[in-house]
Amino acid sequence: MSDSCFICNKHEGTINTAGKMIFEDDYVYIGHIDKGCNPAYLGYVMIDLKRHVPTLADMNLEEAKSFGMAMARISKALKKSEGAEHIYARVSGHGVPHLHMHLTPRYPGTPEEYWGPWEVLDWENAQYGTGEEVDAVCERLRAHMEMDGL
């Protein structure tokens, strides 16, 4: 763990974030995030590697397996549970040097000019919600992941 790392501090519980936990195992944590917005874009999740490593190349094989499975499972849950028609993925580790991946769903009816991992957030009719709605999405995603048991 790095004392100055935002994600490490989040996992240690020394800081609170608005994101809700959806899934957790020995290697990864998946939570809903809000990018500082209220309301939050529904279904916008982040997969964090629990161990402090800066890049994909720094994962061990068990972490890589769990990270990949988590990505597949939550993407499948976003499609089945929330009706997403596409999932955008962005691996990060530069701005916050701790490996994590942003997953952003694109919902049916999103105009093509808003297709893209950041663009979907800017559509005026994008699916945003507050508190209870975010919690409900998290519960549905958690239930789908448990039900599919991949």
Side-chain angles (χ1 to χ4, degrees), residues 122-147:
D122 294 331
W123 181 37
E124 62 195 27
N125 294 322
Q127 293 191 29
Y128 279 84
T130 58
E132 290 179 5
E133 292 168 301
V134 170
D135 289 347
V137 167
C138 292
E139 289 300 321
R140 288 192 302 270
L141 292 171
R142 186 178 303 118
H144 270 292
M145 289 182 72
E146 290 172 359
M147 182 175 54

Side-chain angles (χ1 to χ4, degrees), residues 5 13 18 25 35 37 45-46 59 70 72 74 81 88 90 97 103 109 118 120 129-130 132-133 138 141:
C5 175
D25 69 11
K35 291 287 289 168
C37 302
V45 300
M46 191 164 82
M59 287 189 288
I74 191 64
S81 168
Y88 296 104
R90 295 172 317 284
L103 295 176
W118 296 112
V120 295
T130 58
E132 290 179 5
E133 292 168 301
C138 292
L141 292 171

Side-chain angles (χ1 to χ4, degrees), residues 7-75:
I7 294 174
C8 287
N9 287 321
K10 178 175 81 171
H11 291 292
E12 288 292 315
T14 58
I15 62 168
N16 292 320
T17 62
K20 306 293 183 201
M21 194 277 288
I22 296 166
F23 173 82
E24 182 173 26
D25 69 11
D26 291 340
Y27 304 105
V28 299
Y29 173 95
I30 302 174
H32 198 284
I33 59 175
D34 67 2
K35 291 287 289 168
C37 302
N38 189 10
Y41 187 78
L42 297 175
Y44 184 4
V45 300
M46 191 164 82
I47 304 170
D48 304 333
L49 192 65
K50 285 186 170 182
R51 185 171 67 93
H52 182 83
V53 299
T55 70
L56 288 165
D58 297 309
M59 287 189 288
N60 64 42
L61 291 179
E62 288 301 313
E63 290 167 331
K65 179 181 175 183
S66 183
F67 200 84
M69 291 293 289
M71 181 176 49
R73 290 179 68 202
I74 191 64
S75 295

Side-chain angles (χ1 to χ4, degrees), residues 88 106 110-124:
Y88 296 104
R106 183 182 76 222
T110 303
E112 195 168 339
E113 62 267 27
Y114 293 100
W115 289 11
W118 296 112
E119 292 84 351
V120 295
L121 303 172
D122 294 331
W123 181 37
E124 62 195 27

